[in-house]
Amino acid sequence: MCSLDRCRRCRAMLVAMLHDWEIEEWEYLRQEERRGRRHAFEHLDPAHTAFLVVDLVAFFIDENDYARGIVANVNRLATALRSAGGTVAWIVPAPWEPSAMKSELLGPRIEELYRHSGGDGTPRERVSSDLETNDADLYLAKTAASALFPGHCDLHGQLQERDIDTVLVAGTLANVCCEATARDASTLGYRTIMVADANAARRDQDLNATLHTIYRSYGDVRPTNELLALITD
């Protein structure tokens, strides 16, 4: 048997944490004054909505208790949107070719570690087994932080084929790949909503900085329960 204080996988199975997330009231009030309402997107059509789940692979879940904490909310949203006729897309890291720039940026050991962080097998096989996937879902691999950066993932093309105009963004790390994906989604013209309690960072302040940035300039921020209500409205 393994020792619980040494085995990260066992610890991850036992510990799950939710971020203490917030959008400060002054920012809500500022947006209300500008547009006359708190939230940019008050309605969504499930048939034209995609739930983008970014980088929830074993490597990241095992290393971050906050990533364990969002699994239940991710599963709830995926099940609800799928049942309502929407699209669920699971996006995982793909190994990239060795890069002198990334080695210089990250250091050779970390560059090699992250280069293979997505694991082995097909994109579907790499999604964490804790997540409730389905044959009808999309499974994609990306070679950049953003799943929507041109030339690094087929996500945009897949969404366009399905006539998607709204994306819900969840996963980890919130302030890296999830934020990059949300920014590019907004740039491409998608109604973009960051799921406040289905994104995991390393610290509360990291997540909250991302939520503030997305809410301020790129889209909207909503918790799981509010989005479930919009899906079933």
Side-chain angles (χ1 to χ4, degrees):
M1 295 181 63
C2 64
S3 172
L4 287 181
D5 63 343
R6 289 188 219 170
C7 176
R8 290 175 178 167
R9 180 61 177 170
C10 291
R11 181 172 178 270
M13 293 174 64
L14 293 173
V15 178
M17 299 170 62
L18 282 173
H19 284 291
D20 183 14
W21 74 272
E22 71 166 343
I23 301 291
E24 294 182 72
E25 187 63 21
W26 65 265
E27 185 60 41
Y28 279 135
L29 294 174
R30 191 164 74 106
Q31 296 303 327
E32 288 173 0
E33 182 180 2
R34 287 179 170 184
R35 62 186 173 220
R37 60 191 185 280
R38 176 157 294 202
H39 292 289
F41 310 123
E42 297 184 309
H43 307 280
L44 61 82
D45 180 350
H48 298 286
T49 300
F51 182 34
L52 312 184
V53 185
V54 179
D55 287 357
L56 283 185
V57 296
F59 177 87
F60 291 108
I61 288 181
D62 291 355
E63 291 291 323
N64 187 354
D65 297 334
Y66 285 115
R68 286 288 307 170
I70 66 173
V71 166
N73 285 338
V74 168
N75 284 336
R76 291 168 66 205
L77 279 169
T79 298
L81 186 60
R82 189 188 298 123
S83 298
T87 298
V88 179
W90 307 93
I91 302 127
V92 301
W96 62 76
E97 292 300 315
S99 164
M101 182 279 290
K102 287 185 177 178
S103 180
E104 186 177 12
L105 175 68
L106 301 172
R109 183 179 67 84
I110 298 301
E111 192 263 346
E112 182 68 13
L113 181 67
Y114 275 93
R115 196 160 69 85
H116 298 287
S117 63
D120 299 318
T122 67
R124 182 170 187 175
E125 291 169 338
R126 287 184 248 161
V127 175
S128 170
S129 60
D130 296 319
L131 298 162
E132 296 172 6
T133 61
N134 187 278
D135 289 342
D137 298 343
L138 296 177
Y139 301 89
L140 304 106
K142 61 181 178 65
T143 55
S146 169
L148 286 165
F149 195 87
H152 288 271
C153 186
D154 191 35
L155 179 61
H156 180 50
Q158 296 276 4
L159 298 182
Q160 291 297 288
E161 287 181 9
R162 289 160 176 77
D163 199 22
I164 299 298
D165 64 21
T166 302
V167 295
L168 317 178
V169 181
T172 195
L173 285 170
N175 54 320
V176 184
C177 293
C178 299
E179 181 174 340
T181 298
R183 286 174 178 243
D184 283 348
S186 179
T187 299
L188 289 167
Y190 292 102
R191 302 163 78 242
T192 302
I193 305 174
M194 200 90 168
V195 189
D197 54 358
N199 274 275
R202 290 289 186 181
R203 308 176 302 170
D204 289 344
Q205 54 264 51
D206 296 338
L207 173 69
N208 287 330
T210 284
L211 297 183
H212 176 89
T213 296
I214 297 302
Y215 180 78
R216 177 188 182 277
S217 300
Y218 294 97
D220 210 342
V221 173
R222 295 275 194 136
T224 298
N225 286 341
E226 290 184 10
L227 287 168
L228 291 172
L230 291 178
I231 290 168
T232 58
D233 186 8

